[in-house]
Amino acid sequence: GAVVSQHPSWVICKSGTSVKIECRSLDFQATTMFWYRQFPKQSLMLMATSNEGSKATYEQGVEKDKFLINHASLTLSTLTVTSAHPEDSSFYICSARDLVWVVGEQFFGPGTRLTVL
Amino acid sequence: GESVGLHLPTLSVQEGDNSIINCAYSNSASDYFIWYKQESGKGPQFIIDIRSNMDKRQGQRVTVLLNKTVKHLSLQIAATQPGDSAVYFCAENIIGEKLTFGTGTRLTIIP
């Protein structure tokens, strides 16, 4: 149980275009989902916390108008990278916390590799 | 912009030997700690966790040790196998708040 999926697994786009990444909890309901970004040979950096039905909370230094997050249901959160540029190329990972929350456990998706040309 | 990526600490271990991966955490108020394994191109995979009211917890082939006095966490992997090769991250949080990840250690198992 506790499976989180992401779609797409990889995407290549031109500079200036927008890209949407989906994060789904497949077998549980998630009131809270988290979006992370990971650059090569670096750790995961939290970008934002997404709560179902409310606005996302962004970490310091993350542009909320550039990284649009929508958490419209208990099983789906989306991250849209607007007007993407090469410096946005990264590995984007989501995680979800079960509605029946056990301690602090989060379940991670497989990640989405974004390459902006 | 983002800084240049740092080289991950690396650890090479002979197959069948035991490995110990260390992590120094930053927040003395943290009360929950987790070890994750991340293979190339994949998301983090939960390995084992420990609450701050414990100093040791064992799983299958893995043991986590917590020393709150010096804010140190370690992951011991017994009888390492080629499939254990990955990057290992520790993470800390105050329950109910966000996870903070450590810098990671790349473990390479030598056949």
Side-chain angles (χ1 to χ4, degrees):
Chain A
V3 178
V4 176
S5 71
Q6 284 184 238
H7 178 79
S9 55
W10 59 271
V11 56
I12 301 173
C13 69
K14 293 182 178 180
S15 184
T17 59
S18 295
V19 174
K20 180 185 284 189
I21 302 170
E22 293 184 349
C23 176
R24 293 181 186 273
S25 56
L26 298 185
D27 50 3
F28 66 99
Q29 292 183 314
T31 51
T32 304
M33 290 184 170
F34 304 88
W35 286 96
Y36 295 84
R37 180 168 54 182
Q38 185 178 34
F39 292 101
K41 296 184 179 181
Q42 293 190 27
S43 189
L44 283 74
M45 296 300 297
L46 180 65
M47 299 175 66
T49 302
S50 165
N51 292 298
E52 185 265 339
S54 62
K55 290 184 178 180
T57 302
Y58 291 81
E59 294 300 300
Q60 191 172 12
V62 178
E63 299 173 59
K64 62 180 181 180
D65 294 331
K66 181 169 182 64
F67 298 99
L68 301 179
I69 292 172
N70 184 285
H71 192 161
S73 77
L74 286 172
T75 59
L76 173 65
S77 176
T78 60
L79 168 68
T80 301
V81 183
T82 62
S83 187
H85 288 93
E87 58 265 30
D88 299 322
S89 297
S90 188
F91 194 50
Y92 291 87
I93 306 170
C94 73
S95 70
R97 212 151 61 183
D98 200 319
L99 184 64
V100 183
W101 179 43
V102 178
V103 193
E105 189 170 6
Q106 296 179 24
F107 304 99
F108 284 83
T112 297
R113 174 77 59 194
L114 170 63
T115 302
V116 185
L117 301 177
Chain B
E2 294 293 333
S3 60
V4 174
L6 301 172
H7 288 292
L8 286 173
T10 59
L11 175 65
S12 295
V13 175
Q14 204 74 35
E15 182 180 354
D17 287 352
N18 299 334
S19 68
I20 299 176
I21 300 171
N22 296 302
C23 174
Y25 65 92
S26 56
N27 189 347
S28 56
S30 293
D31 51 15
Y32 181 59
F33 305 87
I34 314 165
W35 279 101
Y36 289 96
K37 173 185 180 183
Q38 187 179 27
E39 297 175 283
S40 182
K42 298 183 179 180
Q45 176 188 353
F46 173 91
I47 301 174
I48 192 168
D49 58 1
I50 189 168
R51 296 284 298 271
S52 60
N53 61 353
M54 303 172 69
D55 53 22
K56 180 179 180 179
R57 191 165 186 225
Q58 289 184 292
Q60 188 177 17
R61 286 202 305 122
V62 294
T63 301
V64 55
L65 298 177
L66 174 63
N67 186 330
K68 295 181 289 293
T69 303
V70 294
K71 292 191 288 186
H72 184 267
L73 196 66
S74 68
L75 175 69
Q76 300 176 4
I77 304 174
T80 53
Q81 303 168 358
D84 294 331
S85 293
V87 177
Y88 290 81
F89 292 98
C90 66
E92 58 173 307
N93 82 335
I94 298 170
I95 291 175
E97 299 185 9
K98 64 184 181 182
L99 277 178
T100 300
F101 280 82
T103 54
T105 297
R106 180 177 299 283
L107 175 65
T108 301
I109 306 304
I110 305 166

